[in-house]
């Protein structure tokens, strides 16, 4: 695949400084087909080229070219992997486990006190393109409620509303969008009156885009004649963009000193679980990830590893097979603390880390990206042809002075929507089944029987735990028809 039309000189109309920039960066073919562009599309292309961070684009191209050698072709895609020979899985506190060195009830008490004092805020990262799901629109709009058909956004924001109501203090929410999701997501929030969140407690901010590069030449892929293919800079773009939008000051003004980030595609997420917050607070942790026990090396979750006093997360796609499958003498995977991308941070840590936000490593993802070919025709490839570049939030972890891992049971807190129907895991069908199973279990704990296989759902903005059920259903009740409890 070539990014340009032909080897012609750069168009004479191109501003000289930009032309020089393109030549220096090896991107001169990006203007191929210039003669076929009208004035406004030429101006659009020039503006897009001017907006790029050229030293970064040059570094990205070098990364692509460095992958061309035979030994590099076998290297893991992230190619920023530390040496893990001496790495271990750090110890984890386990949610709802009385054997923890900190009793769960004490942790919950501290979490509740912080929520009631308004010291906790959340960041929802919702800028992803959701390409695997193949849904027409931002993933947050996907109607995942097994009975209600409520969207992911409604369910997740509902959880914040429920917790705020219960503890009498709002939970400020910063929502990260990208150029791919921004307008539709904001409009959806506003049409649904922010799902009950107070207007002055929701802040939107938009992450940056990076150009997509051809996997053989490192040239910028064009989505159209006169238009570069761009993709969001990964959820790790969060900190830099949050700071640029004044988000950390926004939290500080509201008296917040701990912030929990979570993702738009996990309707079972428990970012505000009081016990989880309590462990974060009581251990004085700067960065507290929720993890699940990874039992199968094929599970697509990154793992938390510790080595020489540094704790980090290694993405599943970056973990060499012999490390991913290595086992401890007791049979557990050596690296079994699977991150589910729910992280509690102190605001102080985010402030300190923000000095390094743009220095987070860029990971490369090999993807099939539609492009304009040498004849100017649009091609939709069926195999990867280009690299997208992303930063990951969890790469902030090595900067933290203290890290505490909190293990959650996946049946309680993890059901990500990633793939289109028919895939082996993480499809809407899997997620809905997990939601129904979770609701049935929680109802069971509240003394309510669900007759075999009947779909049930908990109204996210009303029911936080089994104690809330009695308000809607007395113990001893039986559910025989599909129902949303609490609506
Ligand atoms: P994923 O990495 O699973 O990506 O995002 P995705 O966009 O949802 O799906 P694919 O990989 O294209 O199929 C996990 C979370 O991180 C957010 C997503 O919105 C989701 O909440 N994210 C991802 C961002 O906010 N920005 C990004 O650039 C990438």
């Amino acid at each position: 695949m070539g990014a340009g039309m032909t080897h012609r000189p750069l168009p004479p109309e191109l501003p000289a400084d930009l032309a020089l920039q393109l030549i220096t960066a090896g991107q001169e073919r990006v203007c191929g087909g210039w003669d076929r562009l009208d004035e406004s599309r030429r101006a659009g292309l020039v503006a897009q080229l001017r907006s790029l961070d050229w030293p970064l684009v040059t570094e990205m191209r070098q990364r692509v070219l460095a992958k061309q050698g035979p030994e590099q072709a076998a290297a893991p895609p992230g190619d920023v992997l530390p040496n893990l020979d001496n790495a271990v899985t750090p110890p984890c506190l386990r949610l709802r486990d009385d054997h923890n060195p900190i009793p769960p009830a004490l942790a919950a008490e501290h979490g509740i006190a912080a929520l009631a004092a308004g010291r906790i805020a959340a960041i929802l990262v919702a800028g992803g393109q959701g390409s695997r799901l193949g849904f027409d629109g931002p993933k947050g709009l996907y109607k995942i409620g097994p009975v209600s058909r409520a969207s992911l956004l409604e369910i997740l924001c509902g959880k914040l509303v429920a917790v705020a109501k219960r503890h009498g203090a709002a939970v400020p929410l910063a929502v990260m969008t990208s150029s791919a999701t921004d307008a539709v997501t904001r409009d959806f929030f506003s049409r649904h009156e922010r799902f009950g969140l107070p207007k002055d407690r929701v802040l939107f901010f938009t992450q940056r885009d990076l150009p997509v590069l051809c996997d053989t030449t490192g040239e910028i892929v064009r989505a159209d004649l006169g238009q570069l293919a761009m993709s969001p800079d990964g959820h790790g773009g969060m900190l830099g963009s949050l700071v640029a939008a004044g988000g950390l000051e926004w939290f500080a003004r509201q008296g917040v000193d701990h912030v929990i980030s979570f993702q738009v595609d996990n309707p079972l997420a428990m970012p505000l679980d009081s016990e989880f917050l309590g462990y974060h607070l009581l251990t004085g942790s700067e960065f507290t990830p929720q993890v699940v026990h990874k039992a199968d090396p094929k599970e697509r979750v990154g793992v938390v590893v510790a080595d020489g006093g540094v704790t980090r997360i290694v993405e599943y796609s970056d973990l060499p097979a012999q490390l991913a499958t290595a086992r401890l003498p007791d049979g557990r995977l050596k690296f079994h603390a699977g991150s589910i991308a729910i992280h509690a941070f102190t605001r102080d840590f985010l402030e300190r880390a923000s000095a390094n936000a743009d220095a987070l490593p860029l990971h490369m993802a090999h993807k099939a990206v539609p492009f304009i070919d040498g004849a100017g025709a649009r091609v939709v490839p069926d195999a990867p042809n280009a690299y997208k570049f992303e930063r990951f939030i969890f790469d902030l972890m090595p900067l933290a002075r203290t890290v505490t891992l909190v293990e959650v049971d996946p049946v309680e807190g993890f059901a990500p929507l990633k793939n289109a129907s028919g895939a082996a895991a993480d499809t809407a069908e899997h997620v809905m089944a997990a939601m129904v199973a979770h609701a049935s279990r929680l109802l069971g704990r509240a003394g309510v029987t669900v007759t075999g296989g009947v779909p049930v759902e908990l109204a996210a903005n009303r029911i936080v735990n089994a104690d809330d059920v009695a308000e809607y259903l007395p113990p001893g009740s039986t559910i025989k028809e599909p129902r949303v409890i609490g609506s």
Side-chain angles (χ1 to χ4, degrees), residues 125-132 139 176 207 232 234-235 263-264 418:
V125 293
Q129 293 172 312
S131 43
R132 284 170 287 171
K139 218 191 252 187
M176 182 169 84
Q207 67 183 112
H235 45 62
Q263 302 194 330
V264 78
K418 299 286 184 193

Side-chain angles (χ1 to χ4, degrees), residues 62-262:
Q62 280 159 1
R63 292 269 306 278
V64 173
L65 296 179
K67 278 196 176 284
Q68 306 302 320
E71 72 288 358
Q72 288 295 327
D79 72 21
V80 283
L81 190 63
N83 181 334
L84 296 175
D85 290 350
N86 298 314
V88 296
T89 296
C92 306
L93 291 162
R94 292 180 56 194
L95 216 58
R96 332 272 180 244
D97 186 342
D98 289 325
H99 298 101
N100 282 335
I102 299 172
L106 180 70
E109 205 177 291
H110 276 76
I112 288 167
L115 286 164
R119 293 170 58 208
I120 310 291
I123 300 175
L124 176 62
V125 293
Q129 293 172 312
S131 43
R132 284 170 287 171
L133 185 62
F135 172 61
D136 185 19
K139 218 191 252 187
L141 276 63
Y142 194 97
K143 293 181 172 35
I144 198 70
V147 182
S148 67
R149 314 304 296 171
S151 63
L152 280 162
L153 282 173
E154 178 175 350
I155 290 170
L156 294 170
C157 292
K159 293 184 186 216
L160 269 59
V161 168
V163 167
K165 210 180 316 163
R166 168 175 285 209
H167 302 300
V171 178
L173 173 68
V175 182
M176 182 169 84
T177 61
S178 65
S179 56
T181 64
D182 185 63
V184 180
T185 304
R186 284 180 196 243
D187 177 61
F188 196 66
F189 264 81
S190 120
R191 277 192 287 122
H192 291 83
E193 298 185 3
R194 297 163 307 283
F195 313 101
L197 294 166
K199 191 169 189 177
D200 59 347
R201 298 306 182 111
V202 180
L203 172 83
F204 288 95
F205 67 103
T206 308
Q207 67 183 112
R208 286 169 286 199
D209 281 334
L210 289 172
V212 177
L213 303 190
C214 168
D215 63 357
T216 52
T217 64
E219 290 172 295
I220 299 172
V221 172
R222 290 175 306 153
D224 200 347
L225 267 195
Q227 200 193 339
L228 313 181
M230 305 289 287
S231 71
D233 62 352
H235 45 62
M238 179 271 275
L239 187 54
S241 306
L242 179 73
V243 169
L248 288 180
E249 287 96 343
W250 185 72
F251 288 139
R253 277 199 302 278
Q254 298 172 86
V256 163
D257 48 18
H258 299 272
V259 183
I260 324 304
S261 75
F262 65 116

Side-chain angles (χ1 to χ4, degrees), residues 242-307:
L242 179 73
V243 169
L248 288 180
E249 287 96 343
W250 185 72
F251 288 139
R253 277 199 302 278
Q254 298 172 86
V256 163
D257 48 18
H258 299 272
V259 183
I260 324 304
S261 75
F262 65 116
Q263 302 194 330
V264 78
D265 53 14
N266 174 16
L268 289 189
M270 303 184 292
L272 301 181
D273 182 89
S274 53
E275 190 186 327
F276 162 64
L277 296 175
Y279 293 134
H280 167 71
L281 296 164
L282 287 168
T283 56
S285 170
E286 289 195 320
F287 188 143
T288 307
Q290 285 186 13
V291 298
V292 293
H293 184 92
K294 182 170 180 173
D296 181 343
K298 289 196 283 298
E299 283 172 49
R300 294 162 75 89
V301 285
V303 288
V304 188
V305 306
D307 187 13

